[in-house]
Amino acid sequence: MRRRSRLCALAVLLAASVGAAPAIAGVADSTASAAAGSTASARPDSVGADTLALRLLPVQTLGNAGGERAILAEPSGIAVDAFGRIYVTDASQHRLVRFDARGTLLGEAGALGSGPGDLRRPAAVAAVGSLGVAVLDRENLRIVLYDLFGRLVGVLTDLAALEDELGRVDPVALAADRGGALYVADADRDRVLVLDFSGRYVRSLGGFGAGAGSFRGLAGVATGPEGGLVTTERTGARVQRLDAAGSPLRSWPLPVRTGRGRLAVAVDDSSRIAVADEVSGRLWLFDLTGRLLGARADLVSPRALTFAPDGSLLVAEGTAGRVRRFALEPAGTATPPGR
């Protein structure tokens, strides 16, 4: 009862701190109204990285960077709060690890298990308002809430309990909007589950299909600064932009293969969209119309992405046991020594 009371109190504080979710613009760009579900013409594998507008330059590495003990073994989710603090889920060590913006280890939480405070191969993590982070405890089929100091608040959503109503759920990605609502990518039924700030199920978006607003091989979900959604599909091999109601705004192709593996996605405050393919190790940066802005092809099993408040991009590389930060620099900028 005490833990439930803490959850309820936090939900009230979240609602007060973030207010209502921002209104969704019906048309986010000049072509969207005529191109709902349309595909951008240029494929991201048809343009050389040296001809693009932006370069992604590595400026920081966290985790497996030497020393007596690797801090991270298998980073699988990453989030950043408003203060620049970094939260990383480590799937093989079943824990949540916290760093400050400079990369200094602040602490860790969790252990293998299914009881209170335990995790079992945690995946995505998302900042929820300004008061906590939500962790997708994947094999325990639940979303667990921690405060910004890494202290357990409690179980926000029991996904297993929703299966009587929704059928089997296979959660592969998690995102949160500025209003505190949560979005879970369900790979089993190719849908996005929408939860309110208290963790209560609200509705489902999408479903299996090749049409606009449907998904085939749903592999990632992110929220935009105006409240819309961006999704990635492995079988469908595309990115889709949707409004918060699930209506399609635009789509464009991705050069990915069918099969398993995450297609991590993140959106910055300028609505630039980053996508990484865990299988090929490739990373693409698009504008909101699908135009390719930047790319890299040297990542090692990228499983999660997030943008930091300073505009840099953080990438969790699973089998490399590290998180790398990339600065987004205009093409033609001189590369500083050591990068």
Side-chain angles (χ1 to χ4, degrees):
M1 289 298 292
R2 180 176 299 175
R3 181 172 293 114
R4 186 65 185 173
S5 297
R6 291 181 65 194
L7 277 171
C8 293
L10 185 60
V12 171
L13 287 172
L14 278 169
S17 66
V18 300
I24 304 302
V27 178
D29 61 77
S30 60
T31 61
S33 60
S38 69
T39 298
S41 57
R43 292 184 62 88
D45 57 349
S46 65
V47 181
D50 56 350
T51 68
L52 300 175
L54 295 174
R55 294 191 302 164
L56 292 91
L57 302 178
V59 295
Q60 184 186 38
T61 301
L62 287 70
N64 193 4
E68 296 181 0
R69 181 176 73 95
I71 299 174
L72 298 173
E74 190 183 352
S76 292
I78 187 166
V80 179
D81 67 21
F83 303 99
R85 292 177 295 211
I86 302 164
Y87 303 81
V88 183
T89 52
D90 190 328
S92 64
Q93 299 196 61
H94 315 284
R95 59 182 182 167
L96 174 68
V97 186
R98 297 181 300 117
F99 301 90
D100 68 16
R102 295 169 296 180
T104 302
L105 179 66
L106 295 176
E108 54 190 71
L112 175 61
S114 300
D118 294 335
L119 298 169
R120 192 176 291 274
R121 292 200 63 81
V125 57
V128 182
S130 60
L131 296 175
V133 293
V135 173
L136 179 58
D137 189 5
R138 189 160 187 258
E139 292 192 356
N140 283 325
L141 282 177
R142 62 190 182 185
I143 298 171
V144 182
L145 189 64
Y146 292 85
D147 68 17
L148 296 182
F149 299 98
R151 297 175 299 207
L152 177 68
V153 177
V155 175
L156 192 60
T157 304
D158 185 348
L159 296 172
L162 291 176
E163 292 190 342
D164 289 342
E165 176 182 358
L166 302 177
R168 185 176 182 271
V169 177
D170 181 15
V172 294
L174 174 71
D177 67 17
R178 293 182 177 183
L182 297 170
Y183 301 85
V184 180
D186 175 13
D188 188 71
R189 303 205 176 194
D190 283 304
R191 62 188 172 181
V192 175
L193 307 181
V194 183
L195 313 172
D196 68 15
F197 61 85
S198 68
R200 181 179 62 88
Y201 171 73
V202 177
R203 65 185 183 277
S204 297
L205 304 177
F208 179 78
S214 299
F215 310 114
R216 292 185 300 157
L218 182 63
V221 64
T223 59
E226 295 184 350
L229 299 178
V230 179
T231 60
T232 53
E233 300 163 59
R234 184 163 289 282
T235 305
R238 65 180 175 180
V239 177
Q240 286 198 77
R241 285 180 48 230
L242 313 170
D243 66 20
S247 299
L249 299 174
R250 196 172 182 88
S251 69
W252 57 89
L254 284 174
V256 297
R257 297 179 179 179
T258 59
R260 301 185 65 84
R262 296 187 197 174
L263 281 173
V265 58
V267 185
D268 72 5
D269 287 340
S270 300
S271 294
R272 293 179 296 196
I273 298 165
V275 178
D277 180 7
E278 181 181 4
V279 176
S280 69
R282 300 177 68 183
L283 169 67
W284 304 279
L285 183 68
F286 303 96
D287 70 10
L288 82 173
T289 70
R291 181 172 66 95
L292 186 64
L293 301 175
R296 289 189 71 99
D298 61 346
L299 303 182
V300 182
S301 184
R303 295 191 183 173
L305 306 171
T306 194
F307 284 98
D310 64 1
S312 60
L313 177 65
L314 290 160
V315 182
E317 297 177 273
T319 58
R322 69 187 179 195
V323 169
R324 283 198 286 173
R325 185 192 298 269
F326 293 90
L328 280 56
E329 301 286 353
T333 303
T335 303
R339 289 190 186 178

Short mmCIF file of all heavy atoms in Angstrom, two decimals, residues 7-40:
data_model
loop_
_atom_site.label_atom_id
_atom_site.label_comp_id
_atom_site.label_asym_id
_atom_site.label_seq_id
_atom_site.Cartn_x
_atom_site.Cartn_y
_atom_site.Cartn_z
N LEU A 7 3.40 5.85 -5.77
CA LEU A 7 3.13 5.94 -7.21
C LEU A 7 2.03 6.96 -7.49
O LEU A 7 2.13 7.76 -8.42
CB LEU A 7 2.72 4.58 -7.76
CG LEU A 7 3.87 3.63 -8.12
CD1 LEU A 7 3.31 2.25 -8.44
CD2 LEU A 7 4.64 4.16 -9.32
N CYS A 8 0.97 6.92 -6.71
CA CYS A 8 -0.13 7.86 -6.91
C CYS A 8 0.34 9.30 -6.69
O CYS A 8 -0.01 10.21 -7.45
CB CYS A 8 -1.28 7.54 -5.98
SG CYS A 8 -2.10 5.96 -6.37
N ALA A 9 1.15 9.49 -5.64
CA ALA A 9 1.66 10.83 -5.37
C ALA A 9 2.54 11.32 -6.50
O ALA A 9 2.48 12.48 -6.90
CB ALA A 9 2.44 10.83 -4.04
N LEU A 10 3.39 10.44 -7.02
CA LEU A 10 4.26 10.83 -8.13
C LEU A 10 3.44 11.16 -9.36
O LEU A 10 3.75 12.09 -10.10
CB LEU A 10 5.26 9.72 -8.43
CG LEU A 10 6.30 10.07 -9.52
CD1 LEU A 10 7.12 11.28 -9.09
CD2 LEU A 10 7.20 8.88 -9.78
N ALA A 11 2.37 10.40 -9.60
CA ALA A 11 1.52 10.67 -10.76
C ALA A 11 0.93 12.07 -10.66
O ALA A 11 0.85 12.81 -11.64
CB ALA A 11 0.42 9.62 -10.88
N VAL A 12 0.50 12.46 -9.47
CA VAL A 12 -0.07 13.79 -9.28
C VAL A 12 0.99 14.85 -9.54
O VAL A 12 0.75 15.86 -10.21
CB VAL A 12 -0.65 13.93 -7.86
CG1 VAL A 12 -1.05 15.37 -7.59
CG2 VAL A 12 -1.84 13.01 -7.70
N LEU A 13 2.21 14.63 -9.03
CA LEU A 13 3.29 15.58 -9.24
C LEU A 13 3.66 15.68 -10.70
O LEU A 13 3.94 16.76 -11.22
CB LEU A 13 4.52 15.16 -8.42
CG LEU A 13 4.41 15.37 -6.91
CD1 LEU A 13 5.60 14.74 -6.21
CD2 LEU A 13 4.34 16.86 -6.58
N LEU A 14 3.67 14.55 -11.40
CA LEU A 14 3.96 14.56 -12.83
C LEU A 14 2.94 15.39 -13.58
O LEU A 14 3.27 16.19 -14.45
CB LEU A 14 3.97 13.14 -13.40
CG LEU A 14 5.26 12.35 -13.21
CD1 LEU A 14 5.03 10.89 -13.58
CD2 LEU A 14 6.37 12.93 -14.06
N ALA A 15 1.67 15.18 -13.25
CA ALA A 15 0.62 15.92 -13.94
C ALA A 15 0.78 17.42 -13.70
O ALA A 15 0.60 18.23 -14.60
CB ALA A 15 -0.75 15.45 -13.46
N ALA A 16 1.15 17.79 -12.48
CA ALA A 16 1.31 19.20 -12.16
C ALA A 16 2.54 19.80 -12.82
O ALA A 16 2.56 20.95 -13.22
CB ALA A 16 1.38 19.40 -10.64
N SER A 17 3.63 18.99 -12.91
CA SER A 17 4.89 19.53 -13.41
C SER A 17 4.91 19.68 -14.90
O SER A 17 5.54 20.58 -15.43
CB SER A 17 6.06 18.64 -12.98
OG SER A 17 5.97 17.37 -13.61
N VAL A 18 4.22 18.81 -15.65
CA VAL A 18 4.27 18.88 -17.10
C VAL A 18 3.02 19.48 -17.70
O VAL A 18 3.02 19.91 -18.85
CB VAL A 18 4.51 17.48 -17.72
CG1 VAL A 18 5.82 16.93 -17.23
CG2 VAL A 18 3.38 16.51 -17.39
N GLY A 19 1.92 19.51 -16.98
CA GLY A 19 0.68 20.02 -17.52
C GLY A 19 0.13 19.11 -18.58
O GLY A 19 0.53 17.97 -18.72
N ALA A 20 -0.80 19.62 -19.34
CA ALA A 20 -1.40 18.82 -20.40
C ALA A 20 -0.41 18.65 -21.53
O ALA A 20 0.45 19.49 -21.76
CB ALA A 20 -2.66 19.52 -20.92
N ALA A 21 -0.53 17.54 -22.26
CA ALA A 21 0.34 17.29 -23.40
C ALA A 21 0.09 18.36 -24.45
O ALA A 21 -1.02 18.82 -24.65
CB ALA A 21 0.05 15.90 -23.99
N PRO A 22 1.19 18.79 -25.15
CA PRO A 22 1.03 19.82 -26.17
C PRO A 22 0.08 19.38 -27.26
O PRO A 22 -0.01 18.21 -27.59
CB PRO A 22 2.47 19.99 -26.71
CG PRO A 22 3.36 19.40 -25.67
CD PRO A 22 2.56 18.34 -25.00
N ALA A 23 -0.61 20.35 -27.86
CA ALA A 23 -1.50 20.03 -28.97
C ALA A 23 -0.68 19.57 -30.16
O ALA A 23 0.45 20.00 -30.37
CB ALA A 23 -2.31 21.28 -29.35
N ILE A 24 -1.25 18.67 -30.94
CA ILE A 24 -0.56 18.12 -32.09
C ILE A 24 -0.92 18.94 -33.32
O ILE A 24 -2.09 19.16 -33.60
CB ILE A 24 -0.97 16.66 -32.32
CG1 ILE A 24 -0.72 15.85 -31.05
CG2 ILE A 24 -0.23 16.05 -33.50
CD1 ILE A 24 0.69 15.86 -30.58
N ALA A 25 0.10 19.38 -34.03
CA ALA A 25 -0.16 20.07 -35.29
C ALA A 25 -0.66 19.06 -36.30
O ALA A 25 -0.07 18.01 -36.48
CB ALA A 25 1.11 20.74 -35.81
N GLY A 26 -1.76 19.38 -36.98
CA GLY A 26 -2.31 18.43 -37.94
C GLY A 26 -1.39 18.20 -39.11
O GLY A 26 -1.33 17.12 -39.67
N VAL A 27 -0.62 19.21 -39.52
CA VAL A 27 0.35 19.06 -40.61
C VAL A 27 1.67 19.61 -40.11
O VAL A 27 1.81 20.78 -39.84
CB VAL A 27 -0.10 19.85 -41.86
CG1 VAL A 27 0.93 19.72 -42.97
CG2 VAL A 27 -1.45 19.33 -42.35
N ALA A 28 2.67 18.73 -39.99
CA ALA A 28 3.95 19.14 -39.43
C ALA A 28 4.88 19.72 -40.46
O ALA A 28 5.88 20.33 -40.12
CB ALA A 28 4.62 17.95 -38.74
N ASP A 29 4.63 19.53 -41.74
CA ASP A 29 5.45 20.13 -42.78
C ASP A 29 4.59 20.36 -44.01
O ASP A 29 3.48 19.87 -44.11
CB ASP A 29 6.67 19.26 -43.11
CG ASP A 29 6.28 17.90 -43.62
OD1 ASP A 29 5.90 17.82 -44.79
OD2 ASP A 29 6.36 16.94 -42.85
N SER A 30 5.12 21.12 -44.95
CA SER A 30 4.31 21.57 -46.07
C SER A 30 3.85 20.46 -46.98
O SER A 30 2.90 20.62 -47.75
CB SER A 30 5.10 22.59 -46.90
OG SER A 30 6.28 22.00 -47.41
N THR A 31 4.50 19.30 -46.95
CA THR A 31 4.12 18.21 -47.83
C THR A 31 3.30 17.15 -47.15
O THR A 31 2.77 16.26 -47.80
CB THR A 31 5.38 17.55 -48.40
OG1 THR A 31 6.15 17.03 -47.32
CG2 THR A 31 6.21 18.54 -49.19
N ALA A 32 3.16 17.24 -45.83
CA ALA A 32 2.56 16.12 -45.09
C ALA A 32 1.10 15.93 -45.44
O ALA A 32 0.62 14.80 -45.51
CB ALA A 32 2.72 16.34 -43.59
N SER A 33 0.34 17.01 -45.63
CA SER A 33 -1.08 16.86 -45.87
C SER A 33 -1.37 16.12 -47.15
O SER A 33 -2.36 15.39 -47.25
CB SER A 33 -1.75 18.24 -45.91
OG SER A 33 -1.19 19.03 -46.95
N ALA A 34 -0.48 16.27 -48.15
CA ALA A 34 -0.70 15.58 -49.42
C ALA A 34 0.00 14.25 -49.47
O ALA A 34 -0.20 13.48 -50.40
CB ALA A 34 -0.20 16.46 -50.57
N ALA A 35 0.85 13.99 -48.46
CA ALA A 35 1.69 12.80 -48.55
C ALA A 35 1.52 11.90 -47.36
O ALA A 35 2.45 11.25 -46.94
CB ALA A 35 3.16 13.23 -48.66
N ALA A 36 0.34 11.86 -46.75
CA ALA A 36 0.12 10.96 -45.62
C ALA A 36 0.39 9.55 -46.07
O ALA A 36 -0.25 9.01 -46.96
CB ALA A 36 -1.31 11.09 -45.12
N GLY A 37 1.42 8.94 -45.45
CA GLY A 37 1.81 7.59 -45.85
C GLY A 37 2.69 7.56 -47.07
O GLY A 37 3.05 6.49 -47.54
N SER A 38 3.07 8.71 -47.63
CA SER A 38 3.90 8.71 -48.82
C SER A 38 5.35 8.43 -48.48
O SER A 38 5.76 8.50 -47.34
CB SER A 38 3.78 10.05 -49.54
OG SER A 38 4.38 11.08 -48.78
N THR A 39 6.14 8.15 -49.48
CA THR A 39 7.53 7.76 -49.29
C THR A 39 8.45 8.81 -49.87
O THR A 39 8.27 9.27 -50.98
CB THR A 39 7.80 6.41 -49.97
OG1 THR A 39 6.97 5.43 -49.37
CG2 THR A 39 9.24 6.00 -49.83
N ALA A 40 9.47 9.22 -49.09
CA ALA A 40 10.48 10.12 -49.61
C ALA A 40 11.25 9.43 -50.73
O ALA A 40 11.46 8.23 -50.71
CB ALA A 40 11.43 10.54 -48.48
#
